[in-house]
Amino acid sequence: MAILPILHFPDPRLRNPALPVARVDDETRRLLDDMLETMYAAPGIGLAAPQVNISKRMIVIDISEERNTPYYFVNPEILARRGNEVFEEGCLSVPNIYENVERAAWVQVKAVGRDGQSYELEADGLLAVCIQHEIDHLEGKLFVDYLSELKRGRIRKKMEKWRRHTL
Ligand code: GNR
Ligand code: NI
């Protein structure tokens, strides 16, 4: 297992749409395990492969307190969404920034699991927020894209300053 470096906004590599995974093999499972370890170490409740510079449609999520209930999503698709809900979001690729984002309150998702089996899941609450946030990453979309251009510009400036001081 390995902890992978996380890319930060406004890195253009976060903007590339990720490619479908052809099949879940040992290499896929190794990447998923490294992503999970990276997410736990960060710490975060979700991580999408493009955040660690892997342009593939893979996501890991664990919203449990105990950090022992991982979900794996390979090639996820949202089949249905219902309702709207505002939630204060953060992102490991946009550190120290928290802003309200409106998304669907409930989603039905289809994905392939770590075992290579296709499955469906219905989610609401934090899990629904997180699934939508992570699937956005696969499309090259970040939560700051839902904010005004003015706010996004300010966040970009903050991030560039933070980067000079921290990295
Ligand atoms: O760790 C994370 N917390 C979080 C909080 C509210 C809404 C979404 C998230 S996802 C984020 C990890 C991350 O950046 N995943 O892409
Ligand atoms: Ni994120």
Side-chain angles (χ1 to χ4, degrees):
M1 299 252 276
I3 292 174
L4 309 169
I6 294 175
L7 302 180
H8 295 119
F9 174 74
D11 191 311
R13 289 171 290 181
L14 289 167
R15 296 309 193 172
N16 301 327
L19 294 171
V21 175
R23 64 188 194 94
V24 176
D25 53 16
D26 287 347
E27 166 71 3
T28 311
R29 275 185 282 275
R30 194 181 59 77
L31 289 172
L32 287 168
D33 293 345
D34 287 348
M35 286 170 59
L36 194 71
E37 189 181 11
T38 301
M39 183 196 79
Y40 284 143
I45 57 169
L47 187 77
Q51 292 181 275
V52 288
N53 201 23
I54 299 168
S55 195
K56 291 187 183 169
R57 304 188 77 83
M58 300 193 297
I59 291 166
V60 294
I61 292 178
D62 189 344
I63 58 162
S64 72
E65 291 283 348
E66 304 80 12
R67 319 282 285 153
N68 61 1
T69 314
Y71 288 86
Y72 302 92
F73 298 85
V74 174
N75 300 336
E77 279 178 69
I78 295 185
L79 302 176
R81 51 185 96 219
R82 290 204 240 286
N84 283 335
E85 199 161 50
V86 175
F87 198 90
E88 187 174 71
E89 298 197 14
C91 181
L92 294 172
S93 296
V94 196
N96 308 314
I97 305 289
Y98 302 90
E99 296 283 351
N100 283 335
V101 175
E102 185 175 272
R103 299 188 188 271
W106 176 93
V107 289
Q108 182 187 31
V109 187
K110 182 185 164 187
V112 174
R114 194 182 175 284
D115 58 1
Q117 294 290 318
S118 178
Y119 70 99
E120 282 183 25
L121 178 75
E122 291 173 19
D124 60 10
L126 181 59
L127 184 57
V129 170
C130 198
I131 288 170
Q132 293 172 82
H133 175 114
E134 303 311 338
I135 290 178
D136 272 357
H137 276 300
L138 303 183
E139 299 305 330
K141 188 161 178 143
L142 303 174
F143 85 100
V144 296
D145 298 345
Y146 295 95
L147 310 176
S148 68
E149 214 168 308
L150 179 66
K151 265 195 178 171
R152 192 164 48 255
R154 284 177 179 157
I155 291 167
R156 174 191 279 261
K157 279 224 172 74
K158 253 196 200 173
M159 288 294 306
E160 280 162 354
K161 190 172 169 190
W162 169 84
R163 172 158 224 97
R164 285 196 297 276
H165 281 88
T166 317
L167 305 177

